[in-house]
Amino acid sequence: MERAPKPGRDVPPKKDKLQAKRKVEAFLGGKGSFVCLRFLAEETAPTTARASPGPPRNKKRNQELRPQRPKTAHILKKSRISKKPQVPKKLRKRKNPEPQRSLSGAQDPFPGPAPVPVEVVQKFCRIDKSKKLPHSKSKTRNRLEVAEAEEKETSVKAARSELLLAEEPGFLEGEDGEDTAKILQADIVEAVDIASAAKHFDLNLRQFGPYRLNYSRTGRHLAFGGRRGHVAALDWVTKRLMCEINVMETVRDIRFLHSEALLAVAQNRWLHIYDNQGIELHCIRRCDRVTRLEFLPFHFLLATASETGFLTYLDVSVGKIVAALNARAGRLDVMTWNPYNAVIHLGHSNGTVSLWSPAMKEPLAKILCHRGGVRAVAVDSTGTYMATSGLDHQLKIFDLRGTFQPLSARTLPQGAGHLAFSQRGLLVAGMGDVVNIWAGQGQTGPPSLEQPYLTHRLSGPVHGLQFCPFEDVLGVGHSGGITSMLVPGAAEPNFDGLESNPYRSRKQRQEWEVKALLEKVPAELICLDPRALAEVDVISLEQEKKERIERLGYDPEAKTPFQPKPKQKGRSSTASLVKRKRKVMDEDHRDKVRQSLEQQQHKQKKAKPSRARPSALDRFVH
């Protein structure tokens, strides 16, 4: 006959039952390897036998089950400023740190990241660190500091990736003081490889000349139009013809739009848009008698200059006229654009060059360049230098960084009728049937006009010039057809595959068009200094405030007069309310007096002349 166990003697404690149950589960694999090891460790620990029954302490049990955090661990707190977690503070360096070793055990002779030259980093830096941070709130200051740190890290990464660029710019050097201007195109073709020699060719098209030409932004496609109506587009690298038509009308200029799929042709009467198959898509009759065309790729604007003296901006993304400006200077047949700020430069018959923006009805600036009419204008890729030629046979280079002063000038025997800059700062001038090219110190300085870099004679007078992007090739349109010249060192050797990829497919081009439309810059933001867009226009802000006050009849941003809150228990009497109002008024008046005194002291410090030695009479000066 079994007896019931007495309480406190034969009944095992609840903790022992729990441990036994966990031991069985661990043995059967019910909790996993980590749990099994932990509970086996618990049983091996010394415990008191025959412990008195009772519920275990929850606090102690929770402490045992909770994983312990090591003392040296750093807790990463999220920053209020950026979404990235803050970096923990560095631990104290050891006095004798162990050298880093590789997997084989050998010591690294160059520990840490490779150093980057400061000059290369500054080339990719976008923030002007000469300006100090304004006195603002700590939150705003911290955001600016974080943005500056991220920009510095990005510039260092860009400087490191520059080492991976495979191509280097070309150059041309003569033997023992030989003049490079005497080197012929035939000699250059013989010296270069077969792929580069194939880029030199001549198209004999005397029947429909003279020709105007234009390269696409990727530098892969070429479009040209003859005065007698011949229009064609081709892949000039593979010589594959895309389209060829005759519009049966005079063609004055031709331009690719944002991609090689669309083509704008300035015909005798109106402006026409064609696709890459030669099919006419649009006829824009509001742009009539057009003489010159320019396309602004980041704004999707097609600028046209007409015989009637109007400068018209057409937004090709929506098909609307953004602005039609009257230059009041007669016929417009000299036009170019600044790649840095998208400002249009117009040359006039009175020797001036005017700068235009669609946001202003008047020119941004006027520069007196020549004593006669202006024949040609060109601006380099950095927007720093402008080259002009006039009827006075002068070729001048101007500085566009606010001064608009001529840097150099040269008198040419015939005068230049056409000018163009390359991506690396080479300047070409077409004078009759001769093409002269001047080289400088790369992109850092203007080209030197003392001695030409290359010279070439064509079969007819020059009618159009343009350097091919990312290729050392100069395209020349003349009365005899099209000539492709080799100019070593003219183009940028490496291209950005996400921006201008010569080898992109049709799908990649379509994706790029969508991204470019999303990143389109409004036409109202075109100005002389694009950096001014990030600053606050205080004058316009004050003017808008005054107009708002006049329109409403009161200042909505004015500080409301102090109204004391009513209090109970007899503390809202008339005397107490007046007393509280007077106290606040006195505090405001005291603050104004303090600010005025500080301003006066600051002005006196500026006006006071600095002395080398202090005088004993200075104590009597207040």
Side-chain angles (χ1 to χ4, degrees):
M1 187 174 178
E2 297 180 359
R3 294 185 304 173
K6 294 182 180 180
R9 291 186 179 181
D10 299 334
V11 178
K14 295 183 179 180
K15 187 174 183 181
D16 295 344
K17 284 185 177 182
L18 187 60
Q19 289 179 357
K21 183 178 180 181
R22 289 175 178 171
K23 181 178 179 182
V24 174
E25 288 179 354
F27 180 77
L28 295 176
K31 295 291 184 182
S33 59
F34 175 77
V35 180
C36 178
L37 294 174
R38 188 179 64 185
F39 290 147
L40 288 177
E42 286 181 359
E43 289 198 357
T44 55
T47 56
T48 56
R50 306 291 182 182
S52 60
R57 297 181 179 178
N58 294 334
K59 185 176 181 181
K60 187 175 182 181
R61 180 182 174 185
N62 293 339
Q63 290 179 356
E64 292 177 357
L65 297 179
R66 187 183 301 135
Q68 298 293 330
R69 184 183 290 112
K71 295 182 179 180
T72 58
H74 292 274
I75 304 172
L76 298 179
K77 296 182 179 180
K78 292 186 178 180
S79 175
R80 295 181 179 178
I81 303 164
S82 61
K83 296 181 179 180
K84 296 182 179 181
Q86 292 181 349
V87 181
K89 296 182 179 179
K90 296 181 179 180
L91 299 175
R92 294 182 180 178
K93 295 183 178 181
R94 299 178 182 177
K95 294 182 179 180
N96 297 322
E98 297 181 0
Q100 298 180 359
R101 297 183 180 275
S102 60
L103 296 175
S104 61
Q107 183 178 353
D108 187 5
F110 305 101
V116 183
V118 181
E119 297 81 6
V120 182
V121 176
Q122 290 179 353
K123 184 173 68 172
F124 295 97
C125 188
R126 304 291 183 188
I127 296 180
D128 187 8
K129 297 183 179 179
S130 61
K131 297 181 180 180
K132 296 183 179 180
L133 294 177
H135 299 286
S136 57
K137 297 181 181 180
S138 59
K139 188 175 181 180
T140 306
R141 194 181 303 109
N142 291 339
R143 285 182 178 176
L144 295 174
E145 291 175 357
V146 169
E148 185 176 342
E150 290 180 353
E151 192 273 339
K152 183 178 180 182
E153 183 180 359
T154 305
S155 59
V156 171
K157 288 182 179 179
R160 290 184 187 278
S161 64
E162 192 181 21
L163 302 175
L164 304 177
L165 299 179
E167 302 295 336
E168 294 182 358
F171 58 91
L172 181 64
E173 292 182 356
E175 296 181 355
D176 299 332
E178 180 185 3
D179 188 6
T180 57
K182 297 180 180 180
I183 300 177
L184 303 178
Q185 284 291 309
D187 300 335
I188 297 176
V189 171
E190 291 179 1
V192 299
D193 57 309
I194 299 176
S196 300
K199 298 174 183 177
H200 171 70
F201 58 88
D202 286 306
L203 299 179
N204 189 2
L205 303 169
R206 290 187 177 275
Q207 184 179 358
F208 302 103
Y211 278 85
R212 296 277 298 176
L213 79 161
N214 179 243
Y215 287 98
S216 62
R217 287 192 64 207
T218 58
R220 187 65 185 263
H221 299 85
L222 171 66
F224 51 88
R227 179 68 62 85
R228 299 176 185 175
H230 182 216
V231 176
L234 75 156
D235 184 346
W236 70 271
V237 177
T238 60
K239 310 299 187 294
R240 182 178 63 86
L241 185 65
M242 298 169 58
C243 68
E244 184 178 13
I245 57 174
N246 196 313
V247 297
M248 305 300 292
E249 196 177 7
T250 302
V251 174
R252 299 180 177 179
D253 204 355
I254 187 170
R255 278 292 180 276
F256 276 113
L257 298 187
H258 57 276
S259 67
E260 62 274 6
L262 293 176
L263 198 64
V265 180
Q267 296 179 200
N268 185 32
R269 193 168 182 184
W270 295 310
L271 175 66
H272 296 259
I273 307 295
Y274 298 89
D275 65 351
N276 54 3
Q277 302 298 323
I279 302 173
E280 182 179 348
L281 302 179
H282 303 284
C283 176
I284 305 169
R285 302 192 178 188
R286 290 190 61 185
C287 301
D288 58 337
R289 305 291 180 181
V290 177
T291 57
R292 288 293 178 266
L293 295 173
E294 287 293 345
F295 183 72
L296 312 181
F298 300 106
H299 304 76
F300 282 81
L301 291 178
L302 180 64
T304 64
S306 64
E307 291 180 350
T308 56
F310 275 85
L311 173 64
T312 308
Y313 288 87
L314 172 66
D315 191 341
V316 299
S317 62
V318 295
K320 292 184 179 180
I321 300 287
V322 175
L325 310 175
N326 189 359
R328 299 183 182 88
R331 175 188 172 93
L332 300 178
D333 54 358
V334 178
M335 181 174 68
T336 189
W337 74 293
N338 191 336
Y340 173 66
N341 52 18
V343 171
I344 294 293
H345 294 235
L346 295 177
H348 305 292
S349 58
N350 57 0
T352 61
V353 174
S354 58
L355 281 61
W356 295 85
S357 168
M360 303 288 292
K361 294 184 178 181
E362 297 295 331
L364 302 175
K366 280 188 177 181
I367 309 171
L368 181 60
C369 301
H370 299 277
R371 290 176 291 181
V374 178
R375 298 183 62 189
V377 179
V379 182
D380 70 332
S381 58
T382 62
T384 307
Y385 306 107
M386 178 183 67
T388 61
S389 64
L391 293 175
D392 55 356
H393 293 191
Q394 287 281 329
L395 174 61
K396 295 183 180 181
I397 297 179
F398 289 83
D399 189 357
L400 295 179
R401 292 171 292 187
T403 58
F404 303 113
Q405 296 296 325
L407 300 176
S408 58
R410 179 185 176 89
T411 303
L412 303 177
Q414 294 183 356
H418 302 275
L419 298 173
F421 273 100
S422 74
Q423 288 181 326
R424 293 187 58 83
L426 271 66
L427 175 63
V428 59
M431 302 169 291
D433 59 347
V434 178
V435 173
N436 280 2
I437 302 173
W438 289 275
Q441 303 175 356
Q443 296 180 348
T444 58
S448 175
L449 302 179
E450 296 179 359
Q451 190 172 1
Y453 174 62
L454 278 177
T455 302
H456 184 65
R457 185 176 292 275
L458 302 166
S459 59
V462 178
H463 195 66
L465 291 170
Q466 187 182 0
F467 281 97
C468 180
F470 309 110
E471 293 285 352
D472 291 340
V473 171
L474 171 64
V476 184
H478 49 87
S479 60
I482 301 294
T483 300
S484 178
M485 295 174 50
L486 296 181
V487 183
E492 190 69 33
N494 299 283
F495 59 87
D496 186 358
L498 298 178
E499 183 64 28
S500 301
N501 187 4
Y503 310 104
R504 65 188 180 188
S505 62
R506 182 179 179 182
K507 187 68 174 177
Q508 290 175 334
R509 176 176 59 82
Q510 292 174 353
E511 293 179 356
W512 174 84
E513 286 180 359
V514 174
K515 293 180 181 178
L517 284 170
L518 292 175
E519 297 173 356
K520 173 185 165 185
V521 182
E524 295 80 12
L525 300 182
I526 297 177
C527 57
L528 278 179
D529 188 6
R531 295 174 296 180
L533 298 175
E535 299 178 357
V536 179
D537 190 358
V538 181
I539 300 176
S540 300
L541 191 65
E542 293 178 353
Q543 183 68 22
E544 291 178 0
K545 187 177 179 180
K546 290 181 181 178
E547 293 177 356
R548 187 180 181 186
I549 294 173
E550 293 176 357
R551 185 174 64 255
L552 297 177
Y554 66 96
D555 188 2
E557 299 179 0
K559 187 178 180 181
T560 57
F562 175 71
Q563 292 293 338
K565 295 182 179 180
K567 295 183 179 181
Q568 298 178 355
K569 298 182 180 179
R571 289 183 295 175
S572 294
S573 61
T574 306
S576 61
L577 292 177
V578 172
K579 185 178 180 181
R580 287 159 60 188
K581 284 184 179 181
R582 186 175 296 279
K583 183 179 180 181
V584 174
M585 291 172 60
D586 292 343
E587 290 179 357
D588 295 341
H589 181 68
R590 199 177 297 113
D591 294 338
K592 291 181 181 179
V593 172
R594 189 183 298 110
Q595 291 178 3
S596 62
L597 290 176
E598 290 177 357
Q599 292 177 359
Q600 290 179 2
Q601 292 177 1
H602 186 65
K603 291 180 181 179
Q604 289 178 1
K605 286 181 181 180
K606 287 186 176 181
K608 184 178 180 181
S610 58
R611 296 181 180 179
R613 290 184 179 182
S615 175
L617 301 176
D618 290 342
R619 56 182 177 176
F620 299 105
V621 179
H622 296 285

